[in-house]
Amino acid sequence: MAKKITLNVPLNRVEGDLDINVTIEDGVIVEAKSIGTLYRGFENILQGRVALDSLVVTPRICGICSVTHLCAAVDALENAQNITPPAQAVRLRNLSLLSETIQSDIRQFFLMFMGDFTNEFYQDAPFYQEATHHYEPFKGASSKEALKKTTEILKVVAIIGGQWPHTSHIVPGGISTLPSLLELTVAQNHIEEIISWYEQNVLGCSLEAFSKIESVESFMYHLEENAETDIARFTRYAEYAQLFKIGKTSQNFLSYGTVHNPLNPSERLIKAGVIIEGKFEELDVSKIYEDISHSWYKQVNVKQKPFDGVTQPDMKSEDGYTWAKAPRYAKKVMQTGPLAQALVNGDKLLTSLNDKYGDCAYVRELARILRPAIHLKYARQDIQGAIESFGDMSYNQAVEEFSGEGVGLVEAARGALGHWVRVKHGKIENYQIITPTAWNGSPQDLEGNRGAWENALIGLECRDIKNPMEMGHVVRSFDPCLVCTVHAIDMQDSKQKYKFKIGL
Amino acid sequence: MKTQKNKTLYWLQSGGCSGDSMSILNLNSPDLFSFFSMLSIDVLWHPSLSTITYTEHDQMLEEIVAGERKLDILCVEGNVVMGPDGSGMFDTFRGKPKKDLLQQLAQVADVVVAVGTCASFGGFGSYEGDDIAGIGLQQHHNTQGGFLGKDFHSKKGLQVINLPGCPIHPKALESVLNLVARNLPVELGANNTPKCYYAPTVHQGCTRNEHHEYKVEENMFGEEGCMFFHLGCKGPTTHASCNTHLWNDVNSKTRAGVPCFGCTNTTFPHPSPFFETPTIAGTPLHLPEGVDRAYYLAYKDMAAEAAPQRLKKREE
Ligand code: SF4
């Protein structure tokens, strides 16, 4: 007889609180529900405030991608007012966002992902000692070095914007101040320092040489030749742990694109778009909506456009099991993040890896640690541009009271982040945010489609339910960030009694 | 009872953004990991960093709560989520409100540290009408008490040590752990914040001090002036060492033309709007701590007259 159990597994080393409720039959996951257990109500905090306050409030939604939220908030306000920032401001914004994303990719890979290979689960693996030496939490030599490097790259943000995290130096119309030439050249040194560490330790060759590796074969050859790099070690561990086989969810990808062209800010040098069942399409924002059929909200208007979302709590709602809503694009469940960004942008190496292995946990995580290879090149370009254009204007707009609607779309470290704002006489009337983790970690929708990582868990073999390592690998390959589960609740309903289904 | 020579630390995240964790990872020389090992602090658990399994974690919590495992330092990041209706179910751990776990841990810890403004005073989500009904550990905005109550003392007889900041400055945590690890007393000042980090104001050490002195003002972003008079800078009324221990070792917001938003203050994220200075008869409503309005204004007007040309604003 089949042995069937259902249990709640809390996952650490994700940002915020995440439980996965899984049903396991004969050691294989047959049902998975992603439960965001922390509700924060940030969108409410914005209502009624002066529009510029969003530059201070929204970065505090997420301590790990605060500059990204700032960029989205400013993009939305500029979109509403039709403002174009000057070229020098665009370079400094690019640098701020790139630095934050590079930091996040490195920290996630070293501190949150590689640590798993030092767990006793792998004590019989041939790499156990090596992995422990390099990646043990708090002690591993490579992880410690990587942590130091992330503090270096964040100095670039601090030089431009004062501090990291939680600054507000990006403002509608430009940037709050221009760093001195001395500071810009110091920032350039920091960037070069990271590049040389990344080339030597992570890649095993220069950024330029790496960009010529386009096929799976030449990539695997490169890893053999450079066995003592982080990507080579990761690949060896991944093979042993079968990460090539697990974690696939779909071939639907969403990216908002990033790195604005200083001379034509509406152009994104890493392009935006969607891939649906393997085919590229231009991004059409109007196709985005949120489904709340399996969320703890009152079931009126089950499919909501971002500008007119109605959100009332109802933990009695029959099918609800999470605070997250389920964003969908033209009825499709999309995955977003570094892999989506690379594929939408037509990256040759990741396209061939995805063609061969699919969107498995290995390819998804690899895309993350390879992304700095692209981003660092843009950072190099923008800091050089900023130095050459030193003294150019970096702010061109007086703050005005206005009314209007705007959308800010930005690529966060974890993928597509959107802010939707409606302003009336200078005050925020409505603010809606759809975060990358809302896309990746969404619950089921009305049609019964599971969210991206829920689906990736189905069919997964779980060898030890006390230590469900495979689940950890799959979910962490999406780099979840649950603190961004921000949805507002209308507390007019606060008198009702709540029935809780968590841990059912 | 298992005895341990090293000090143990448990890090609990509740209603917050993880920004404090991200911030302390920026500690440099020594880096955070070396810092813990130098001070012989064993981090029993940090949600973003630990790799023990959830079953081991459950077991560990049981032992700590039962007093079978020593807990020297409890760090709490984020406010205590009380909503909805006081149930705390907007933030749960293993199906139960996280606030219950926090209450249990606070009873057995030697020292309880509130990391960041949310944990210290409530912060985001702590105002009337905010869904999560967050409160600070032992203080709610200006009122002592908070979640643990004003009479709470840890096992060592200490009140909660508040380390406000949105996020916390890594030096604030470093300085307190330096003292705790060496069994030295932590001297607390206003709002139970350690004097070692919170005695200075943000204004002290700002590179725009001379502009402030001569009332060379910034009216809009991108100018090189003091932001106190128009852009809402709260540096002179906010206590923190932002301009004496620089952020990420290189800079501060006010140096980069971003006004101080008063993020270590008990009422943050209020008052707002953030980018405007509230005025009374054309002069700032809130003057630097302790000054006499009439004298201050007379002095500022004279100082503006005396401002040297080199400080005056860019071309009209
Ligand atoms: S900008 Fe703020 S911190 Fe700097 S001198 Fe002026 S008031 Fe002080």
Side-chain angles (χ1 to χ4, degrees):
Chain A
M1 215 179 92
K3 195 169 156 263
K4 191 164 168 173
I5 46 163
T6 297
L7 79 164
N8 259 27
V9 178
L11 275 184
N12 55 309
R13 270 173 302 115
V14 303
E15 289 310 314
D17 296 289
L18 171 66
D19 276 16
I20 309 276
N21 179 278
V22 283
T23 306
I24 300 177
E25 208 175 299
D26 289 334
V28 173
I29 296 179
V30 293
E31 187 55 278
K33 289 177 175 166
S34 168
I35 308 173
T37 61
L38 169 65
Y39 166 79
R40 297 185 66 217
F42 245 75
E43 287 150 333
N44 251 11
I45 296 173
L46 286 154
Q47 275 160 19
R49 282 182 182 259
V50 165
L52 274 187
D53 274 12
S54 64
L55 316 192
V56 181
V57 174
T58 64
R60 268 103 181 156
I61 289 170
C62 179
I64 199 162
C65 56
S66 59
V67 173
T68 319
H69 278 285
L70 175 63
C71 287
V74 171
D75 260 25
L77 292 178
E78 288 184 342
N79 178 245
Q81 297 172 88
N82 230 330
I83 297 172
T84 304
Q88 187 69 336
V90 175
R91 291 186 192 99
L92 297 172
R93 289 177 181 191
N94 283 344
L95 282 164
S96 304
L97 188 54
L98 285 165
S99 303
E100 176 172 279
T101 308
I102 292 163
Q103 165 268 150
S104 182
D105 288 346
I106 295 172
R107 282 187 184 173
Q108 200 276 346
F109 177 81
F110 284 94
L111 307 183
M112 301 196 177
F113 201 92
M114 294 302 277
D116 274 335
F117 297 112
T118 72
N119 184 282
E120 59 188 26
F121 188 85
Y122 289 113
Q123 63 190 357
D124 299 325
F127 58 72
Y128 186 66
Q129 274 194 338
E130 179 194 83
T132 306
H133 169 74
H134 286 286
Y135 308 112
E136 190 185 359
F138 300 102
K139 296 193 186 109
S142 298
S143 298
K144 274 178 86 166
E145 191 57 23
L147 174 63
K148 274 198 182 167
K149 294 301 165 190
T150 61
T151 68
E152 292 291 315
I153 192 76
L154 290 172
K155 288 183 184 173
V156 177
V157 188
I159 284 170
I160 299 166
Q163 70 178 59
W164 189 92
H166 294 351
T167 184
S168 307
H169 63 298
I170 296 169
V171 295
I175 199 141
S176 65
T177 204
L178 188 63
S180 70
L181 198 50
L182 170 75
E183 288 169 315
L184 287 175
T185 51
V186 169
Q188 186 170 40
N189 292 351
H190 288 309
I191 291 168
E192 289 305 322
E193 201 187 335
I194 303 294
I195 291 177
S196 72
W197 165 81
Y198 181 79
E199 288 178 336
Q200 262 176 39
N201 296 277
V202 180
L203 292 184
C205 66
S206 69
L207 301 180
E208 288 67 31
F210 193 78
S211 67
K212 303 214 170 70
I213 302 176
E214 295 181 344
S215 68
V216 177
E217 295 68 37
S218 51
F219 179 63
M220 293 301 165
Y221 178 76
H222 171 83
L223 296 183
E224 273 167 36
E225 293 290 293
N226 298 279
E228 284 312 304
T229 54
D230 295 299
I231 51 173
R233 282 186 215 112
F234 167 55
T235 305
R236 290 199 294 276
Y237 307 170
E239 247 181 309
Y240 180 91
Q242 306 216 332
L243 302 194
F244 288 76
K245 299 218 174 82
I246 62 176
K248 290 179 207 176
T249 179
S250 80
Q251 287 293 314
N252 297 340
F253 300 96
L254 165 73
S255 167
Y256 291 158
T258 188
V259 188
H260 295 257
N261 180 353
L263 303 175
N264 175 22
S266 63
E267 184 198 343
R268 295 173 189 218
L269 298 173
I270 294 181
K271 72 173 185 249
V274 293
I275 293 174
I276 293 185
E277 277 140 32
K279 279 209 209 65
F280 177 84
E281 284 176 23
E282 294 294 332
L283 176 73
D284 177 355
V285 189
S286 70
K287 291 185 174 160
I288 296 171
Y289 66 91
E290 290 183 296
D291 179 310
I292 58 163
S293 63
H294 289 75
S295 314
W296 282 315
Y297 301 107
K298 189 159 273 178
Q299 300 297 304
V300 280
N301 193 5
V302 172
K303 296 184 183 192
Q304 318 178 329
K305 289 276 173 200
F307 269 125
D308 38 50
V310 187
T311 324
Q312 295 180 315
D314 184 6
M315 295 190 80
K316 279 184 295 195
S317 89
E318 253 328 286
D319 300 320
Y321 60 85
T322 177
W323 291 116
K325 294 181 179 179
R328 296 291 184 257
Y329 183 91
K331 297 205 175 143
K332 297 281 190 244
V333 182
M334 309 296 283
Q335 64 171 308
T336 187
L339 178 60
Q341 187 179 105
L343 296 179
V344 165
N345 196 43
D347 183 282
K348 295 222 174 65
L349 174 59
L350 281 156
T351 303
S352 41
L353 283 159
N354 177 58
D355 287 347
K356 178 149 187 196
Y357 303 114
D359 62 316
C360 60
Y362 169 72
V363 172
R364 197 179 297 112
E365 183 64 23
L366 183 72
R368 181 165 302 109
I369 194 58
L370 290 186
R371 182 163 59 178
I374 310 287
H375 282 189
L376 282 165
K377 275 197 279 188
Y378 283 111
R380 190 178 245 169
Q381 198 172 305
D382 277 323
I383 190 72
Q384 186 58 32
I387 289 170
E388 281 165 14
S389 311
F390 176 74
D392 282 8
M393 174 181 67
S394 56
Y395 179 75
N396 65 6
Q397 193 76 27
V399 180
E400 272 170 24
E401 227 186 73
F402 74 102
S403 298
E405 274 181 6
V407 187
L409 304 177
V410 177
E411 272 286 281
R414 287 157 190 76
L417 168 69
H419 284 202
W420 281 258
V421 65
R422 185 182 293 137
V423 178
K424 207 168 170 189
H425 306 307
K427 294 238 167 92
I428 296 168
E429 209 180 48
N430 191 6
Y431 212 103
Q432 291 288 321
I433 297 164
I434 302 182
T435 64
T437 295
W439 287 99
N440 289 329
S442 71
Q444 291 179 24
D445 56 28
L446 197 60
E447 290 77 22
N449 303 307
R450 295 185 187 91
W453 74 51
E454 285 183 344
N455 196 45
L457 288 168
I458 303 297
L460 183 72
E461 204 184 324
C462 228
R463 274 174 285 174
D464 177 4
I465 54 163
K466 291 210 175 87
N467 189 3
M469 188 54 72
E470 300 88 349
M471 275 177 68
H473 289 318
V474 168
V475 177
R476 284 187 199 109
S477 74
F478 286 93
D479 191 4
C481 179
L482 273 295
V483 292
C484 284
T485 308
V486 290
H487 288 290
I489 277 184
D490 181 345
M491 288 310 278
Q492 284 158 350
D493 273 26
S494 64
K495 273 177 236 87
Q496 71 181 76
K497 278 285 154 271
Y498 296 88
K499 179 173 154 250
F500 294 95
K501 298 176 74 180
I502 307 176
L504 76 180
Chain B
M1 177 153 186
K2 287 179 195 159
T3 49
Q4 250 162 338
K5 203 167 99 256
N6 287 3
K7 294 242 191 278
T8 59
L9 184 152
Y10 186 97
W11 190 283
L12 185 97
Q13 277 176 345
S14 43
C17 70
S18 302
D20 302 305
S21 288
M22 288 303 122
S23 185
I24 62 159
L25 281 170
N26 298 339
L27 196 66
N28 230 330
S29 356
D31 63 88
L32 183 70
F33 297 163
S34 308
F35 170 72
F36 283 137
S37 71
M38 276 169 52
L39 295 189
S40 304
I41 293 175
D42 285 341
V43 180
L44 296 178
W45 175 258
H46 185 293
S48 311
L49 303 170
S50 299
T51 50
I52 60 169
T53 65
Y54 76 99
T55 36
E56 289 167 331
H57 181 218
D58 287 349
Q59 168 92 26
M60 171 195 284
L61 281 174
E62 244 170 64
E63 289 174 13
I64 293 175
V65 170
E68 288 158 12
R69 192 173 185 142
K70 194 164 158 37
L71 177 59
D72 295 291
I73 305 158
L74 172 66
C75 287
V76 180
E77 169 179 8
N79 53 26
V80 188
V81 173
M82 302 300 284
D85 294 341
S87 69
M89 291 302 280
F90 279 156
D91 181 21
T92 60
F93 177 73
R94 306 299 270 143
K96 297 195 195 93
K98 200 171 284 161
K99 69 180 173 57
D100 295 357
L101 173 64
L102 170 57
Q103 181 67 262
Q104 290 175 309
L105 291 174
Q107 303 308 321
V108 293
D110 268 358
V111 182
V112 181
V113 184
V115 179
T117 301
C118 292
S120 300
F121 308 133
F124 280 90
S126 67
Y127 279 85
E128 187 70 42
D130 286 345
D131 307 328
I132 63 167
I135 54 175
L137 274 188
Q138 203 177 10
Q139 181 160 338
H140 188 60
H141 305 158
N142 285 317
T143 318
Q144 274 257 303
F147 176 65
L148 294 170
K150 69 178 189 327
D151 297 326
F152 171 84
H153 286 83
S154 69
K155 257 176 67 193
K156 264 226 168 128
L158 301 171
Q159 298 227 291
V160 173
I161 299 175
N162 289 328
L163 303 181
C166 186
I168 187 179
H169 192 299
K171 284 278 169 200
L173 185 73
E174 183 188 5
S175 53
V176 164
L177 291 188
N178 272 342
L179 297 172
V180 172
R182 292 172 171 83
N183 296 314
L184 295 169
V186 182
E187 200 191 339
L188 300 183
N191 303 308
N192 280 351
T193 58
K195 287 188 178 170
C196 53
Y197 179 83
Y198 294 93
T201 63
V202 172
H203 176 66
Q204 288 169 340
C206 176
T207 50
R208 295 167 185 239
N209 276 178
E210 207 184 11
H211 299 86
H212 182 94
E213 188 182 344
Y214 290 109
K215 204 167 180 266
V216 177
E217 307 165 27
E218 179 149 335
N219 288 294
M220 81 179 197
F221 299 115
E223 294 175 334
E224 186 68 38
C226 173
M227 297 173 287
F228 178 68
F229 306 95
H230 293 290
L231 276 183
C233 186
K234 296 186 170 76
T237 54
T238 301
H239 283 268
S241 296
C242 298
N243 273 308
T244 28
H245 297 295
L246 294 179
W247 280 86
N248 310 85
D249 301 328
V250 290
N251 214 354
S252 72
K253 285 209 299 296
T254 62
R255 291 178 182 208
V258 181
C260 167
F261 306 121
C263 76
T264 58
N265 291 334
T266 51
T267 57
F268 186 75
H270 289 278
S272 81
F274 291 115
F275 293 94
E276 288 167 34
T277 305
T279 54
I280 167 167
T283 58
L285 177 62
H286 305 288
L287 295 180
E289 233 175 64
V291 303
D292 175 283
R293 178 168 288 274
Y295 283 123
Y296 180 79
L297 296 180
Y299 145 68
K300 274 290 161 241
D301 284 345
M302 279 169 64
E305 291 299 318
Q309 197 56 39
R310 66 185 162 80
L311 285 185
K312 293 217 175 134
K313 284 189 287 184
R314 299 174 188 169
E315 301 303 289
E316 273 83 63

